[in-house]
Amino acid sequence: MLRAYRGAMDADRLADQLHGLARDSLAWTDYVAAADQLLGRAIDFDRSCWHTVDPGTVLLTGSVNREVSCSGSWLAEFEYVVEDVNKWSFLARSGRLAGSTSQATHGTLTRSARHRSQRDFGIGDELRGSMVDGDGYWAAVGLLRDDGRAWFADEDVALLAGLSAVIAVAARRALVSTIAAETMGMLM
């Protein structure tokens, strides 16, 4: 059982609502828009990036961003080339599933190459989560707070990690739904 958090929304209720969105067979972009709003009621953040992942290769295959540019060559460089803390593939493989930059750098955010590259854009702490279920690693989520705001708490990290499987199932269903709709459109 996930514990209550921030008083605004019970974590179990949040998991149920995210699971309900998955049952609605939404396209990935529609799922992300709704999930981002729901998650924002439980974890306070200013910006977000959501990525689909190919579980066979662990390559990021798509991106939906809110108030941040987090895709393309910059994303590939910092996820696959540059040594840094809390890479999504590491979080997925390690079983930790979520981590904040403030925790991983022991409070010195500039120890993170990714943070240093984003500093000029007013980004402070980042909470990253890898969405993994029994069938694989399906999505990655980055929640960002603006510079000068409080860091993510241990409870934020635990909540995102606890929602990993629920969001992974939704990501897989959304991807299948999107591919099926595209395929049907091509056949018509």
Side-chain angles (χ1 to χ4, degrees):
M1 176 170 148
L2 297 171
R3 60 187 216 169
Y5 187 64
R6 270 191 60 201
M9 178 175 282
D10 177 87
D12 288 327
R13 189 169 141 230
L14 173 59
D16 288 344
Q17 290 178 334
L18 289 168
H19 186 69
L21 289 175
R23 285 191 307 266
D24 291 342
S25 297
L26 300 173
W28 173 245
T29 54
D30 296 329
Y31 176 81
V32 166
D36 196 71
Q37 279 190 334
L38 286 173
L39 203 51
R41 294 179 193 166
I43 300 173
D44 188 28
F45 58 93
D46 302 301
R47 312 167 195 216
S48 63
C49 56
W50 296 68
H51 307 279
T52 51
V53 176
D54 175 349
T57 64
V58 301
L59 292 174
L60 302 171
T61 59
S63 184
V64 177
N65 306 311
R66 186 177 61 81
E67 304 295 328
V68 65
S69 178
C70 181
S71 59
S73 60
W74 178 89
L75 180 62
E77 180 179 359
F78 282 93
E79 185 60 22
Y80 304 116
V81 179
V82 175
E83 274 300 312
D84 206 357
V85 299
N86 292 336
K87 288 188 176 193
W88 283 306
S89 57
F90 168 78
L91 293 170
R93 279 191 326 269
S94 71
R96 279 190 35 219
L97 304 177
S100 69
T101 303
S102 57
Q103 286 178 338
T105 63
H106 305 284
T108 306
L109 299 180
T110 55
R111 289 182 179 169
S112 164
R114 188 175 49 258
H115 174 78
R116 289 191 307 271
S117 77
Q118 298 173 333
R119 198 172 27 190
D120 291 342
F121 300 104
I123 295 174
D125 200 10
E126 179 181 19
L127 172 56
R128 297 180 125 216
S130 295
M131 306 301 118
V132 178
D133 69 4
D135 294 322
Y137 163 39
W138 294 95
V141 177
L143 307 176
L144 302 120
R145 287 194 177 151
D146 289 341
D147 194 25
R149 299 223 22 239
W151 293 338
F152 289 102
D154 293 346
E155 293 83 4
D156 299 320
V157 175
L159 179 61
L160 188 59
L163 295 170
S164 174
V166 172
I167 296 172
V169 167
R172 185 178 70 231
R173 286 182 180 170
L175 289 169
V176 168
S177 176
T178 300
I179 291 167
E182 289 172 359
T183 301
M184 291 303 293
M186 285 188 255
L187 295 175
M188 299 302 229

